[in-house]
Amino acid sequence: MQAKTKETIAAIEEKLTAKGERFTDARQSVMAALLEFDATTAKAYDIVEAMGNVKPMTVYRALDFLVAQGLAHRIESLNAYAPCVENHCAHKDSQYLICDKCEKVEELHSHAIDDFIAEQTAKDGFKISTKVIEIHGLCSSCQL
Amino acid sequence: MQAKTKETIAAIEEKLTAKGERFTDARQSVMAALLEFDATTAKAYDIVEAMGNVKPMTVYRALDFLVAQGLAHRIESLNAYAPCVENHCAHKDSQYLICDKCEKVEELHSHAIDDFIAEQTAKDGFKISTKVIEIHGLCSSCQL
DNA sequence: GAGCCAGTTGTTATTATGTAACGGCAATAT
DNA sequence: ATATTGCCGTTACATAATAACAACTGGCTC
């Protein structure tokens, strides 16, 4: 386990306990596993495998928790997850840039895109609850 | 089977043969089944069930074809499919408004949104290949 | 401390979703 | 007619996710 992972876990622990949430062993382990993939996406069963001796159910439950806490994102178009350590503003409205080669995920937080979509959908009288915005392609490093 | 479905199938047949594509029985049946769901999303296995006596593989193959031809869309966030009859411009860059109550899907074709995203991602040197933009919420009818 | 409650975990089984592989058949091309 | 290509049927399998229920844990209250 990378040193950085340990640090991050410790920092998260602090934040969660402050919030009154329980950062249990299972949750820590899954978060750690996710972080070890180093900003690339990981499938639930990748984590199951990486952890060894754990049941899928355990991993899915932990992932649900992490997503709810904004510590991970689910990437719908890949059935995968990415860790998220930075705590940005709302966190509900992000857009993901997913490199299909190196699998790294970057987040955009364009209020402009949000506003734009809100404006366009308002015309239809559509009431937005959640948005899935996942942009696939090649990151700058992988274009070489 | 609705009368409208038959018409639509016939129209598609014509268009596909003009393109040199084969609109086989399996493909027709799956397209018809998809249309019968009447603009709501359908899961692959819903179609398997609706058709009876068909294997999943058959349905998945037909769906792949239909998606490739722009006659259906895959909704990643639902693992589902929606028919698409109108032939709009590029067809690669649409945004979907998905009502979580009635399951109807509407398409936006906002060049503005596209341009905006292109502009934002250009800053990161990210080269876009495909975009998944799926907006969930309630359509105007279902808000009442 | 004893009892209680909500949240969490362990375990098993099951459902849902999607593919691989291969042989045969059908349409088209040479 | 024969080769080639694409399509289909079938079986088996792989991957993704959830249901259900019992047991445990941590913090409450009395």
Side-chain angles (χ1 to χ4, degrees):
Chain A
M1 180 155 91
Q2 298 173 16
K4 194 180 164 191
T5 300
K6 280 198 173 176
E7 281 178 46
T8 310
I9 293 291
I12 292 171
E13 170 134 45
E14 208 171 324
K15 217 179 302 183
L16 284 181
T17 34
K19 275 172 65 178
E21 295 290 347
R22 295 170 54 192
F23 200 35
T24 61
D25 285 356
R27 290 167 179 176
Q28 287 195 24
S29 308
V30 170
M31 186 71 203
L34 199 51
L35 286 165
E36 293 285 303
F37 281 88
D38 203 26
T40 70
T41 59
K43 309 216 162 201
Y45 277 74
D46 291 342
I47 297 172
V48 170
E49 199 178 338
M51 291 178 66
N53 224 2
V54 192
K55 304 283 160 58
M57 192 70 252
T58 305
V59 171
Y60 278 107
R61 285 202 273 233
L63 286 171
D64 285 348
F65 172 82
L66 295 171
V67 169
Q69 297 299 321
L71 294 164
H73 298 299
R74 175 172 167 82
I75 309 294
E76 294 293 342
S77 52
L78 295 176
N79 295 331
Y81 298 83
C84 172
V85 176
E86 325 149 41
N87 45 343
H88 3 69
C89 42
H91 209 296
K92 301 183 51 178
D93 284 325
S94 357
Q95 301 94 31
Y96 305 105
L97 300 189
I98 303 154
C99 179
D100 289 330
K101 189 164 173 210
C102 71
E103 294 193 324
K104 287 211 194 317
V105 177
E106 251 191 276
E107 292 184 43
L108 287 182
H109 301 281
S110 166
H111 278 283
I113 289 178
D114 282 334
D115 293 347
F116 219 100
I117 290 177
E119 194 183 314
Q120 300 285 313
T121 57
K123 291 180 194 166
D124 296 277
F126 190 91
K127 189 177 175 192
I128 297 175
S129 62
T130 62
K131 297 197 282 290
V132 175
I133 301 184
E134 298 172 359
I135 301 166
H136 290 258
L138 291 179
C139 70
S140 49
S141 318
C142 287
Q143 288 175 40
L144 309 179
Chain B
M1 179 154 93
Q2 298 173 14
K4 193 179 164 191
T5 301
K6 280 198 175 175
E7 281 176 47
T8 310
I9 293 291
I12 293 172
E13 170 135 46
E14 207 171 326
K15 218 179 303 183
L16 284 181
T17 34
K19 275 172 66 179
E21 295 289 346
R22 294 169 55 191
F23 199 35
T24 62
D25 284 357
R27 291 167 179 177
Q28 288 195 23
S29 307
V30 170
M31 185 71 203
L34 199 52
L35 287 165
E36 293 285 302
F37 281 88
D38 204 26
T40 70
T41 59
K43 309 216 163 200
Y45 276 74
D46 291 341
I47 296 173
V48 170
E49 200 178 339
M51 291 178 65
N53 224 1
V54 191
K55 304 284 160 57
M57 193 68 252
T58 306
V59 171
Y60 278 108
R61 284 202 273 231
L63 285 171
D64 286 347
F65 171 82
L66 295 171
V67 168
Q69 298 299 321
L71 294 164
H73 298 299
R74 175 172 166 84
I75 308 295
E76 294 292 343
S77 53
L78 295 175
N79 296 331
Y81 299 83
C84 172
V85 176
E86 325 149 42
N87 46 342
H88 2 67
C89 41
H91 208 294
K92 300 184 51 177
D93 284 325
S94 359
Q95 302 94 31
Y96 305 104
L97 300 187
I98 303 154
C99 179
D100 290 329
K101 190 163 173 211
C102 70
E103 294 193 324
K104 287 211 193 319
V105 177
E106 251 190 276
E107 292 184 42
L108 287 181
H109 301 281
S110 166
H111 278 283
I113 290 178
D114 282 334
D115 292 348
F116 220 102
I117 290 177
E119 193 183 315
Q120 300 286 313
T121 57
K123 291 180 194 165
D124 296 277
F126 190 90
K127 188 177 174 190
I128 297 176
S129 61
T130 62
K131 298 198 281 290
V132 174
I133 302 184
E134 298 172 358
I135 302 165
H136 290 257
L138 291 178
C139 69
S140 49
S141 318
C142 288
Q143 288 174 41
L144 307 178

